[in-house]
Amino acid sequence: MNLNEEVELLKGVPILAKIEPAKLKLLAFTSERVNYATGQEICHQGDPGDAMYVILGGIADVLIDTPTGQIRVSEMSKNDFFGEIAILCDVPRTATIKAREPLNTLKISKDTFYRMVGEFPQMAIEIMRELAHRVEDTNQKLREATANKAA
């Protein structure tokens, strides 16, 4: 995949969609492309967060450790991103991400991420929107689990 093809892919990522193509080209050039095989872990819950990832292709599972073992709480695919919570909040990874099928990602370092958010406030707004959606989804799942337990 060449740089221009990567820029076209990045335009499809909601948090990056409003960034001008020249800046996306710089982002693609300064970030690392990392491929993962089926079953391979991209990051593990509890590990320090040093980067965020954008999925360029493939499907990944989001897994949470529980006292009874890992459970899959969601899946991610092309144009989804993860890892931003660990670098935004300076906390350990909140979930394990594992490739369900071959996965192609763009790994964005913490420094590059902060520079992009500083230069493009719209990116920060889109990240807040995505995080709010994730919180609402989690709340909905908790409501359903509580209702099922009470029944």
Side-chain angles (χ1 to χ4, degrees):
M1 178 179 307
N2 69 39
L3 203 53
N4 290 328
E5 290 171 328
E6 284 185 2
V7 168
E8 286 305 310
L9 278 174
L10 293 176
K11 285 181 186 177
V13 179
I15 63 167
L16 305 174
K18 295 184 177 158
I19 297 174
E20 61 190 74
K23 295 287 186 178
L24 287 177
K25 191 176 275 192
L26 180 62
L27 175 64
F29 183 74
T30 58
S31 298
E32 179 183 0
R33 263 112 358 259
V34 186
N35 296 312
Y36 297 91
T38 300
Q40 189 174 2
E41 273 189 12
I42 295 87
C43 59
H44 191 83
Q45 183 176 338
D47 287 350
D50 61 346
M52 73 168 282
Y53 297 80
V54 174
I55 297 177
L56 302 175
I59 297 175
D61 288 323
V62 180
L63 307 164
I64 301 290
D65 293 335
T66 72
T68 57
Q70 271 188 341
I71 59 169
R72 183 171 86 75
V73 294
S74 101
E75 72 175 32
M76 292 182 293
S77 58
K78 184 178 177 180
N79 295 339
D80 286 333
F81 61 93
F82 60 92
E84 75 290 345
I85 293 172
I87 58 178
L88 277 172
C89 301
D90 206 22
V91 296
R93 299 281 187 195
T94 59
T96 296
I97 309 298
K98 187 181 284 189
R100 185 186 311 164
E101 61 183 45
L103 195 68
N104 182 7
T105 68
L106 186 69
K107 181 179 180 181
I108 302 170
S109 73
K110 187 175 190 174
D111 291 340
T112 299
F113 175 79
Y114 275 115
R115 191 177 72 245
M116 294 295 288
V117 169
E119 288 182 34
F120 301 100
Q122 187 63 36
M123 184 176 167
I125 291 168
E126 294 302 328
I127 290 169
M128 285 188 291
R129 277 194 182 122
E130 178 60 25
L131 293 176
H133 285 298
R134 290 179 190 180
V135 168
E136 178 51 32
D137 183 56
T138 300
N139 287 342
Q140 181 60 36
K141 287 176 181 174
L142 286 171
R143 284 191 291 272
E144 290 169 8
T146 303
N148 290 339
K149 200 171 192 177

